[in-house]
């Protein structure tokens, strides 16, 4: 599945947080997929959009005991709790300086969905 949230930061302006959950037996290269999606965003926005991937900071989150991205095994309770916290960050209204100063009229600012069982995700090298 997936979840996304539109926010507006004081210095970053409008931006989107996005989380994608895929079956681990089909997709193991999460860092590469994050890079591909970020590159696609850069392309779609005509080189004006930026992206940041937490996958480049996995070591830092692991040192803090907060790693909740990447391959998460369902029998690893700590990793599962960290994953829930990471995804929950998207809907956390208390984020300082990340609130929408002006909500786009007629537009959603939060969304979620489920990827069907018969999906096909083609990786781009």
């Amino acid at each position: 599945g997936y979840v996304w949230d539109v926010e507006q930061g004081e210095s970053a302006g409008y931006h989107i947080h996005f989380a994608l959950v895929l079956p681990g037996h089909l997709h193991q290269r999460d860092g590469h997929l994050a890079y591909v999606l970020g590159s696609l965003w850069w392309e779609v926005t005509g080189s004006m959009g930026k992206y940041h991937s937490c996958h480049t900071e996995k070591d830092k989150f692991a040192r803090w005991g907060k790693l909740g991205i990447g391959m998460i095994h369902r029998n690893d309770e700590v990793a599962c709790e960290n994953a829930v916290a990471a995804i929950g960050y998207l809907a956390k209204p208390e984020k300082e300086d990340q609130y929408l100063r002006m909500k786009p009229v007629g537009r959603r600012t939060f969304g979620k969905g489920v990827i069907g069982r018969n999906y096909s995700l083609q990786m781009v090298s």
Side-chain angles (χ1 to χ4, degrees), residues 5-47:
D5 177 40
V6 177
E7 295 180 351
Q8 184 179 9
E10 191 173 315
S11 60
Y14 285 103
H15 59 277
I16 298 171
H17 290 265
F18 179 75
L20 181 63
V21 180
L22 298 171
H25 70 287
L26 298 175
H27 302 284
Q28 293 88 33
R29 297 178 62 205
D30 52 289
H32 177 69
L33 180 57
Y35 171 78
V36 169
L37 291 173
S39 298
L40 180 61
W41 176 249
W42 189 76
E43 189 177 311
V44 165
T45 61
S47 305

Side-chain angles (χ1 to χ4, degrees), residues 19-90:
L20 181 63
V21 180
L22 298 171
H25 70 287
L26 298 175
H27 302 284
Q28 293 88 33
R29 297 178 62 205
D30 52 289
H32 177 69
L33 180 57
Y35 171 78
V36 169
L37 291 173
S39 298
L40 180 61
W41 176 249
W42 189 76
E43 189 177 311
V44 165
T45 61
S47 305
M48 294 177 62
K50 298 183 220 174
Y51 77 95
H52 171 79
S53 170
C54 291
H55 290 79
T56 61
E57 302 173 294
K58 280 183 173 180
D59 291 340
K60 175 179 77 174
F61 290 116
R63 280 194 311 273
W64 293 347
K66 299 291 183 187
L67 184 61
I69 60 174
M71 181 68 78
I72 305 293
H73 297 277
R74 67 179 61 160
N75 60 350
D76 183 340
E77 290 182 34
V78 172
C80 288
E81 288 176 15
N82 289 342
V84 169
I87 292 172
Y89 176 83
L90 277 69

Side-chain angles (χ1 to χ4, degrees), residues 76-116:
D76 183 340
E77 290 182 34
V78 172
C80 288
E81 288 176 15
N82 289 342
V84 169
I87 292 172
Y89 176 83
L90 277 69
K92 185 177 178 183
E94 304 87 30
K95 285 183 269 183
E96 186 142 341
D97 267 348
Q98 296 295 311
Y99 61 92
L100 285 175
R101 286 137 182 90
M102 183 176 74
K103 183 177 177 183
V105 177
R107 303 285 183 206
R108 296 184 309 151
T109 60
F110 184 85
K112 62 182 177 52
V114 176
I115 299 171

